[in-house]
Amino acid sequence: MSQAQLSGIQFGELPLLKQDKSPTVCLYSPDGNTIATGLDNGAINVYSTSIWERIWVFEGHKDQVMSMVYSPDSNHIASGGEDKTIRLWDVLAGVCIHVMKGHDGVVNGVAYSPQGGHVASASSDMTVRVWDVKTGECRHIWNGHTGSVDEVVYSPNGIRIASNSEDMTVRLWDIETETCHVLRGHNSGVLSVAHSLDGSQVASASEDKAVRLWNVATGECQHILTGHTEAVRFVLYSPNGDRVASCGYDYSVRLWDIERGVCLHTLLGHSGCVRRVAYSPQGNLIASASEDKTVRLWDAETGICRQTLTGHSNGVNSVSFSLKGDHVASSSYYDRAVRLWEVDTGTSRYISKGHGGRVKKVKCSPNGDQIATCSNDNTARLWDVETGACLQTLRNHTDAVLSVAYSPRGDQIATCSSDKTVRLWSTTTEEYTHILIGHSGTVNDIVYSPCGDTLASASLDNTVRLWDVESGGCRHTLRCHTKFNVQVVYSPNGSQIASTGRLGHSVRIWDTETGVCSHILTGHHRSIYDVAFSPQGDQVASASFDGTIRVWDTGTGKCRHILIGHKGGVPFVTYSPSGHQIASGSKDGSLRVWDLEERTCLWTLAGHSKGITKIAYSSLDFIVSASDDNSVRLWDVLSGQCRAAIQGLQGGVDDIEWIEASGGDYVATCCRDGTVGMWKVQNREDSCHVSLHWMATNGGLNVQGVTIQDAQGLSQLNKQLLEQRGAVGVHLLRETSKKLTAMSSVISKLKTPSDKTKEDPASSTSDSKERLEQRQKDPRLQDILTAFVRDMHEYM
């Protein structure tokens, strides 16, 4: 990454805030500078969002933290515990200011007044208390509830407090007059309460499956919002105050118009209770946290799910937006993790656990919704293109899985392996339906017939076998007399098969009905590495390490064209969708686009610095190329220009796949370091933008040893992430060395006259201390130290 332009680059991963104990609540500070997590052991962890490191551990509660809130100025945290106390913490100094005692039950909820001078608390002892922040003294004790009080919320002007209880009521407490207004109407416990933006209304959510909107001045119920089919867990007003969001045990989120009292949207998708919702500060997004282990981001205007954030290994109990709305924090009680998510309304970016070895192949399902990958870790995996979720892990092979293929209908997957077998799998289960045994050597390649009833496999045992997909029986064994068969392809109509081998100089054309070899195509004088049928099926192109591409007539077996121009061996060749062009990739790092009618080279695409490892055409006049230089490039076929590049893919790219899915166009990559990546392509007339959509690795983001020397535009967040994952800030180290050298030089010049002579071994200690004090007081030394500290802060 040395000297790379990294402004705006997203790495798809944020630091994971692993907790010592289970988190009960997590929230961002109002100024966005810190994030706090309360734990079930009574501790509170506070993290800096600029460096994503823990800066304080607040210890004092003797049991789990039940609730927590930041002061309006973000300088303090109030926490309520199962130990019946409220504690006030100084975020700047890292100390406990007050321990507020008085409740006889668990403190379920705490709230700061808008002015920051008071804290209100709700307890299972059926009381509400108000505390003075400066003195820690209790100012008010309000009795009246006949059941546990779950929450307290201040009105925006700070003159009222609303509380909800198991006693089926909401109470409005006037702080100045200490009078109480009781809102009755729910016929079961009230689980949540919220004040409207202007303070004129209160919303309450209940176990009776309803949300009620109350007029604060009169205490009348203005609307009863029905639609939830189970208890409503939480309620929240939108930032502009015209809507209410509710969530509950029926797995749904509902958005309500408060003026008309009607449901605008029902947000469905979760498969477990939705425990919390949060609006983004801008009000355009809603985040929902569910027991189904996911967080979902919804468009607040349309109700459409923008992203499903997966990664928690257990139910999610809390969710919070950052000040700018660009990040979401979520916590899960049982997986002991707080996860940080980047908010992007167009993509879902994250890094998940992937293969444990080199990834050999990637293939897209016929409908574009899935990809399949195979690896040296003896498995194949199925991935959701949009979310990056691993749908299935196909095990049972006892050696490396070398290739994978989808059936034409997409309901079956075939895998082949170094264990000499082929396995057929259902795409809906992780169980194989057939194990195809017969090859006596490694099986390198597999391909389905166009109609899907037959599977062809190529092996190092010098044979190609045709298998009946339904029965698993072998229909034909094609003995090729060519060592190391590595590739087999079907013609578009399925009547022919072409096969080739690494140590052979010929291509064989087979009749799939009879299993008879109809043509042996000879002419190359070195190994043939790739073969492809034209879309019309009347031609076969072969690419050889003799530096040429040959085009053959499949009917006669005669050579039509010999395309010469590459300076190195040609391991890859592919036809354009129309069949009028051929693209070839060479070990010399170049690609060539050939016009078959004119028999001329249209473009020589230069940009890669090492050999090509794969090429693919898209339907958008793009050619996608992968190289040993750890990059993927997108080329415009009409102009020959490189439109976009994906660089820095560690270990080399083994395979790529162009994908046209319902959510847009993508490029899938698989690399030798075990990484699978999905890249979103946004093509416009004036530009082409490629961004990371999701990535699966064999252990998270790994940039061990990568330098970020002189990187331009690297955000502090990403800098911390990269250095946390092993990157080396060479620029920082070099500048630090320069500063230390400068300091050493200046200090050496600051010696007092007595230093210039050889010191008397018998000099007193007091003389040495006096000289040291003279140096420390020298203004030149103070200036260089000040400058050094200032510069170091800029680099850190």
Side-chain angles (χ1 to χ4, degrees):
M1 297 181 186
S2 177
Q3 300 182 342
Q5 173 54 250
L6 299 179
S7 178
I9 291 296
Q10 306 297 334
F11 294 97
E13 184 179 359
L14 291 175
L16 174 68
L17 309 181
K18 194 66 178 177
Q19 306 300 301
D20 301 327
K21 295 292 182 179
S22 298
T24 56
V25 61
C26 74
L27 66 158
Y28 273 95
S29 62
D31 63 10
N33 292 331
T34 60
I35 187 171
T37 62
L39 306 181
D40 68 346
N41 67 345
I44 297 171
N45 290 328
V46 182
Y47 298 84
S48 167
T49 57
S50 63
I51 59 176
W52 294 111
E53 291 181 359
R54 187 167 60 183
I55 54 177
W56 303 117
V57 178
F58 294 149
E59 295 179 325
H61 284 293
K62 297 178 181 179
D63 214 323
Q64 93 174 26
V65 178
M66 300 295 294
S67 57
M68 195 166 59
V69 63
Y70 271 95
S71 62
D73 61 6
S74 302
N75 292 335
H76 299 91
I77 291 174
S79 59
E82 200 170 22
D83 61 2
K84 307 177 185 180
T85 69
I86 300 100
R87 290 178 178 261
L88 195 64
W89 310 89
D90 189 313
V91 176
L92 301 180
V95 297
C96 180
I97 301 173
H98 297 298
V99 180
M100 305 171 184
K101 298 180 179 180
H103 281 297
D104 293 327
V106 173
V107 182
N108 294 315
V110 288
Y112 251 101
S113 65
Q115 297 77 21
H118 296 88
V119 167
S121 57
S123 172
S124 63
D125 66 6
M126 300 183 287
T127 69
V128 173
R129 291 179 178 246
V130 180
W131 310 82
D132 188 291
V133 167
K134 289 185 178 179
T135 64
E137 296 178 353
C138 182
R139 290 294 183 89
H140 304 286
I141 303 174
W142 291 326
N143 298 287
H145 281 295
T146 58
S148 175
V149 188
D150 291 334
E151 292 180 351
V152 282
V153 290
Y154 273 91
S155 61
N157 59 12
I159 65 174
R160 291 187 183 88
I161 292 175
S163 59
N164 60 283
S165 169
E166 292 177 355
D167 65 7
M168 301 185 289
T169 69
V170 174
R171 290 180 176 255
L172 302 181
W173 310 88
D174 189 295
I175 297 176
E176 294 180 353
T177 65
E178 296 198 59
T179 57
C180 176
H181 207 115
V182 183
L183 310 181
R184 304 181 189 276
H186 286 295
N187 53 38
S188 192
V190 183
L191 301 180
S192 181
V193 65
H195 261 291
S196 65
L197 194 64
D198 60 4
S200 65
Q201 193 179 74
V202 165
S204 58
S206 169
E207 292 177 329
D208 64 9
K209 309 176 187 178
V211 173
R212 287 179 177 251
L213 304 182
W214 308 85
N215 184 297
V216 169
T218 66
E220 294 180 358
C221 180
Q222 296 174 309
H223 295 291
I224 303 175
L225 311 180
T226 58
H228 284 288
T229 58
E230 297 291 342
V232 188
R233 183 70 183 82
F234 189 71
V235 66
L236 178 71
Y237 279 90
S238 62
N240 64 4
D242 63 347
R243 295 182 181 183
V244 161
S246 60
C247 62
Y249 290 90
D250 62 0
Y251 308 169
S252 74
V253 177
R254 290 177 179 259
L255 307 184
W256 310 87
D257 184 298
I258 66 170
E259 184 69 27
R260 296 178 293 154
V262 297
C263 182
L264 300 174
H265 299 292
T266 301
L267 314 182
L268 300 175
H270 284 296
S271 58
C273 169
V274 184
R275 299 184 61 86
R276 280 290 187 274
V277 290
Y279 268 99
S280 65
Q282 299 79 12
N284 62 321
L285 290 176
I286 292 174
S288 56
S290 171
E291 289 181 356
D292 67 5
K293 310 176 189 178
T294 71
V295 174
R296 285 181 177 251
L297 298 183
W298 310 84
D299 187 298
E301 187 62 33
T302 65
I304 295 173
C305 181
R306 292 284 187 84
Q307 300 179 48
T308 301
L309 308 179
T310 59
H312 284 292
S313 61
N314 217 300
V316 187
N317 58 10
S318 183
V319 65
S320 175
F321 274 95
S322 64
L323 175 66
K324 296 180 180 179
D326 54 350
H327 295 101
V328 167
S330 61
S331 67
S332 173
Y333 185 86
Y334 290 105
D335 72 4
R336 295 187 177 184
V338 172
R339 290 186 175 268
L340 307 174
W341 313 89
E342 289 189 349
V343 174
D344 187 320
T345 57
T347 60
S348 171
R349 299 191 179 106
Y350 65 91
I351 291 204
S352 62
K353 183 71 174 178
H355 284 291
R358 178 174 177 173
V359 185
K360 302 291 290 184
K361 297 286 184 182
V362 57
K363 298 294 181 184
C364 182
S365 64
N367 63 6
D369 292 341
Q370 295 179 9
I371 61 168
T373 56
C374 59
S375 168
N376 284 356
D377 66 2
N378 303 353
T379 71
R381 289 176 182 249
L382 308 187
W383 310 87
D384 187 288
V385 167
E386 290 295 333
T387 68
C390 182
L391 305 174
Q392 292 185 49
T393 300
L394 309 180
R395 299 179 173 89
N396 290 119
H397 280 294
T398 59
D399 209 333
V401 184
L402 302 180
S403 191
V404 62
Y406 277 95
S407 65
R409 292 191 303 272
D411 58 342
Q412 191 179 72
I413 289 278
T415 56
C416 63
S417 169
S418 295
D419 66 9
K420 307 175 186 178
T421 69
V422 176
R423 291 176 186 258
L424 305 183
W425 314 75
S426 168
T427 55
T428 58
T429 68
E430 295 187 352
E431 299 297 325
Y432 62 87
T433 57
H434 292 294
I435 177 171
L436 311 181
I437 300 175
H439 286 294
S440 59
T442 293
V443 187
N444 292 285
D445 196 22
I446 46 177
V447 61
Y448 278 93
S449 63
C451 66
D453 63 347
T454 305
L455 183 79
S457 58
S459 169
L460 297 188
D461 65 5
N462 304 343
T463 68
V464 171
R465 288 180 178 256
L466 305 185
W467 307 87
D468 184 289
V469 169
E470 187 173 350
S471 68
C474 182
R475 290 179 174 175
H476 296 291
T477 300
L478 315 180
R479 304 193 181 278
C480 303
H481 309 291
T482 300
K483 292 182 179 180
F484 299 126
N485 287 293
V486 293
Q487 190 183 20
V488 58
V489 292
Y490 264 97
S491 64
N493 63 9
S495 63
Q496 293 179 320
I497 280 178
S499 64
T500 187
R502 285 281 166 89
L503 297 185
H505 302 166
S506 66
V507 176
R508 290 177 180 254
I509 306 294
W510 306 84
D511 185 290
T512 57
E513 186 66 29
T514 63
V516 174
C517 178
S518 56
H519 299 292
I520 300 177
L521 313 180
T522 59
H524 288 293
H525 60 269
R526 291 192 65 183
S527 296
I528 300 172
Y529 267 62
D530 200 15
V531 63
F533 271 99
S534 65
Q536 296 76 20
D538 59 337
Q539 297 176 7
V540 163
S542 56
S544 170
F545 259 48
D546 63 11
T548 69
I549 301 99
R550 288 180 178 252
V551 180
W552 313 84
D553 187 298
T554 56
T556 64
K558 293 183 179 180
C559 181
R560 290 186 178 182
H561 312 300
I562 303 176
L563 308 178
I564 301 174
H566 284 294
K567 297 179 180 179
V570 185
F572 298 102
V573 64
T574 186
Y575 276 88
S576 65
S578 67
H580 300 315
Q581 295 177 354
I582 279 179
S584 57
S586 171
K587 284 298 182 181
D588 63 12
S590 72
L591 293 90
R592 287 177 178 257
V593 181
W594 309 85
D595 186 299
L596 292 179
E597 292 183 1
E598 300 295 331
R599 305 183 188 182
T600 58
C601 179
L602 295 175
W603 304 109
T604 299
L605 311 179
H608 288 294
S609 59
K610 292 184 179 181
I612 305 301
T613 57
K614 188 64 184 294
I615 54 177
Y617 263 99
S618 77
S619 62
L620 301 176
D621 294 320
F622 273 136
I623 292 176
V624 186
S625 60
S627 169
D628 276 328
D629 65 4
N630 299 340
S631 75
V632 172
R633 290 178 177 265
L634 277 68
W635 308 86
D636 189 310
V637 175
L638 300 179
S639 66
Q641 298 296 312
C642 180
R643 297 295 305 277
I646 304 168
Q647 298 181 341
L649 300 172
Q650 296 301 306
V653 187
D654 267 342
D655 200 12
I656 52 175
E657 183 92 333
W658 177 270
I659 300 169
E660 295 176 8
S662 57
D665 298 322
Y666 302 90
V667 173
T669 59
C670 61
C671 299
R672 293 166 198 166
D673 64 355
T675 298
V676 177
M678 187 66 64
W679 308 83
K680 190 174 182 66
V681 180
Q682 295 174 305
N683 185 39
R684 305 180 182 91
E685 291 185 4
D686 58 341
S687 65
C688 180
H689 179 67
V690 179
S691 59
L692 179 64
H693 193 56
W694 57 261
M695 185 173 285
T697 76
N698 59 7
L701 181 62
N702 183 4
V703 289
Q704 190 69 38
V706 175
T707 66
I708 50 175
Q709 174 188 353
D710 301 324
Q712 303 297 312
L714 184 63
S715 70
Q716 181 68 20
L717 182 92
N718 282 337
K719 179 177 180 293
Q720 293 297 329
L721 172 65
L722 292 175
E723 291 185 350
Q724 188 183 85
R725 296 300 189 269
V728 180
V730 172
H731 183 62
L732 172 63
L733 297 177
R734 180 181 296 134
E735 293 301 322
T736 303
S737 177
K738 289 180 180 178
K739 301 298 180 183
L740 292 174
T741 301
M743 286 183 64
S744 176
S745 175
V746 170
I747 291 173
S748 67
K749 296 176 182 179
L750 295 178
K751 291 183 177 181
T752 61
S754 60
D755 291 327
K756 295 181 181 179
T757 60
K758 187 174 181 179
E759 293 187 12
D760 183 0
S763 348
S764 67
T765 304
S766 60
D767 289 339
S768 299
K769 290 181 178 179
E770 182 178 350
R771 289 196 298 271
L772 177 60
E773 290 174 356
Q774 290 176 355
R775 293 180 189 176
Q776 291 175 337
K777 293 178 182 179
D778 192 293
R780 292 173 295 174
L781 179 58
Q782 295 299 319
D783 289 345
I784 196 67
L785 286 172
T786 300
F788 175 75
V789 172
R790 182 192 64 235
D791 292 344
M792 287 305 298
H793 274 297
E794 292 179 1
Y795 289 114
M796 294 301 288

